[in-house]
């Protein structure tokens, strides 16, 4: 490992967007630490010489602490953290289910917070680096059949906005990634036609470019969908609720 080689820690890297981003950064010559719960899959991805496997359940605070310590021991330093772990089960969100809502909130929101918390001191002392949080367009405004996932992502975006100011004082970049529909095991559960569906590799290219070539707070794609939904975000409730009610098949 060369002194100058850039290093990234990616959670949710056993499949979908996280895996594609890990492979993209590895191809670009970065040293990549990958985490998720399924160790065998991570170990297989880590056959790539630039990728190392650090299995982790993000809902376990102590686990997050231990894993980050191991990564630092191994890599010596980290430049970017990309927190991408997440869960979604549309069938379980058709009706309100408190247990499921708590489960989704625990993985998507508190799991990500656990990861941010364990890197906070490191980045603030280093006075540099980048923490990126994967949220979703589903967090922009309330959508049908999304009483657990949508709120967990709305909370994540708001959290990222909130910590942006604090970390900025320490010269640490905070960004949020808002993907539209990307074909992964997570969206394979959807039973509706997903507009502007893109591949995980497409997402990885956009994320890499957003990290390296811009300093933007939000990285969102594909623009055909995200710009439309951004417009929907500023509509008055009366119009927004009418359009979604008419336009979304349930
Ligand atoms: N696909 C889309 O259209 C889309 C759109 C907007 C946002 N997103 C977000 O993008 C992120 C990645 O999703 P994806 O679509 O790539 O889905 P995915 O292929 O199902 O990936 C989810 C990842 O999260 C990991 N994970 C789940 N629970 C975990 C836990 N408790 N601890 C550690 N890791 C955990 C999974 O690994 P293990 O099962 O091995 O733990 C997996 O690597 C998620 O945050 C998702 O909400 C996706």
């Amino acid at each position: 490992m060369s002194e100058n080689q850039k290093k990234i820690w990616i959670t949710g890297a056993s499949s979908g967007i996280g895996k594609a981003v890990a492979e993209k950064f590895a191809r670009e010559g970065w040293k990549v630490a990958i985490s998720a719960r399924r160790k065998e899959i991570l170990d297989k991805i880590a056959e790539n010489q630039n990728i190392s496997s650090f299995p982790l359940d993000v809902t376990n605070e102590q686990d997050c602490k231990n894993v980050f310590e191991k990564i630092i021991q191994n890599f010596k330093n980290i430049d970017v953290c990309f927190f991408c772990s997440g869960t979604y089960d549309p069938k379980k969100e058709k009706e309100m289910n408190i247990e499921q809502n708590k489960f989704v909130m625990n993985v998507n929101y508190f799991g990500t917070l656990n990861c941010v918390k364990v890197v906070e001191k490191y980045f603030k002392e280093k006075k540099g680096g980048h923490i990126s949080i994967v949220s979703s367009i589903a967090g922009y405004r309330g959508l049908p059949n999304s009483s657990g996932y949508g709120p967990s992502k709305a909370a994540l975006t708001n959290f990222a906005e909130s910590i942006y100011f604090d970390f900025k004082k320490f010269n640490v970049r905070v960004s949020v990634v808002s993907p539209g529909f990307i074909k992964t095991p997570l969206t394979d559960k959807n039973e509706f036609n997903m507009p502007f569906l893109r591949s995980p590799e497409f997402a990885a290219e956009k994320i890499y470019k957003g990290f390296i070539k811009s300093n933007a707070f939000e990285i969102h794609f594909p623009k055909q969908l995200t710009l439309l939904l951004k417009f929907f975000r500023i509509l008055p409730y009366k119009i927004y609720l009418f359009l979604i009610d008419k336009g979304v098949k349930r």
Side-chain angles (χ1 to χ4, degrees):
M1 200 185 318
S2 92
E3 283 282 301
N4 298 331
Q5 193 175 20
K6 291 275 202 180
K7 297 169 189 116
I8 183 168
W9 178 27
I10 300 175
T11 64
S14 60
S15 68
I17 299 172
K19 176 173 180 254
V21 170
E23 289 172 341
K24 169 70 184 167
F25 275 82
R27 273 197 306 280
E28 296 291 338
W30 285 54
K31 186 85 189 137
V32 185
I34 53 168
S35 296
R37 290 164 305 173
R38 289 168 295 170
K39 181 178 181 316
E40 319 71 58
I41 299 183
L42 292 181
D43 289 347
K44 187 97 191 93
I45 300 168
E47 283 172 11
N48 180 318
Q49 59 162 4
N50 277 344
I51 303 182
S52 306
S53 156
F54 296 89
L56 163 71
D57 184 335
V58 294
T59 62
N60 183 326
E61 265 182 78
Q62 191 56 44
D63 218 9
C64 293
K65 206 164 174 263
N66 297 344
V67 162
F68 185 58
E69 276 170 15
K70 263 195 235 161
I71 293 173
I72 291 296
Q73 269 170 19
N74 211 287
F75 279 30
K76 308 295 176 230
N77 70 293
I78 280 287
D79 301 285
V80 180
C81 285
F82 179 57
F83 295 137
C84 182
S85 55
T87 189
Y88 168 59
D89 189 341
K91 282 210 174 79
K92 292 190 180 153
E93 299 211 2
K94 287 214 158 162
E95 284 168 14
M96 201 178 131
N97 174 335
I98 295 289
E99 278 317 303
Q100 177 64 11
N101 291 357
K102 283 184 183 167
F103 169 73
V104 172
M105 203 55 151
N106 200 29
V107 175
N108 293 2
Y109 184 65
F110 290 107
T112 304
L113 263 60
N114 285 339
C115 296
V116 173
K117 188 65 202 164
V118 298
V119 302
E120 179 187 15
K121 190 164 174 277
Y122 172 80
F123 278 119
K124 284 185 174 174
E125 283 178 0
K126 181 177 152 123
K127 294 205 171 13
H130 178 185
I131 299 170
S132 186
I133 292 173
V134 178
S135 184
S136 170
I137 52 164
Y140 282 0
R141 285 191 93 161
L143 291 166
N145 306 332
S146 190
S147 67
Y149 185 75
S152 75
K153 293 298 184 176
L156 268 185
T157 300
N158 196 298
F159 169 76
E161 289 168 0
S162 170
I163 64 167
Y164 168 87
F165 302 102
D166 178 34
F167 279 88
K168 188 171 185 282
K169 288 188 273 186
F170 294 85
N171 193 37
V172 180
R173 177 179 172 193
V174 171
S175 68
V176 72
V177 174
S178 309
F181 292 110
I182 307 299
K183 185 168 172 26
T184 68
L186 186 138
T187 47
D188 284 345
K189 296 176 210 156
N190 279 335
E191 286 169 343
F192 56 89
N193 277 337
M194 291 173 271
F196 306 107
L197 184 68
R198 297 286 189 267
S199 67
E201 291 71 33
F202 171 90
E205 288 297 328
K206 295 287 175 195
I207 291 164
Y208 182 81
K209 205 169 150 210
F211 282 8
I212 305 302
K213 301 220 166 113
S214 91
N215 208 19
F217 171 72
E218 189 190 28
I219 298 157
H220 58 98
F221 49 84
K223 293 279 191 307
Q224 294 95 321
L225 182 62
T226 55
L227 292 178
L228 179 68
L229 288 174
K230 279 178 182 296
F231 171 67
F232 273 37
R233 205 150 57 154
I234 57 169
L235 290 176
Y237 275 122
K238 203 171 175 180
I239 302 174
Y240 173 74
L241 297 175
F242 174 81
L243 289 176
I244 295 294
D245 192 36
K246 291 284 165 225
V248 178
K249 205 173 136 215
R250 272 167 279 167

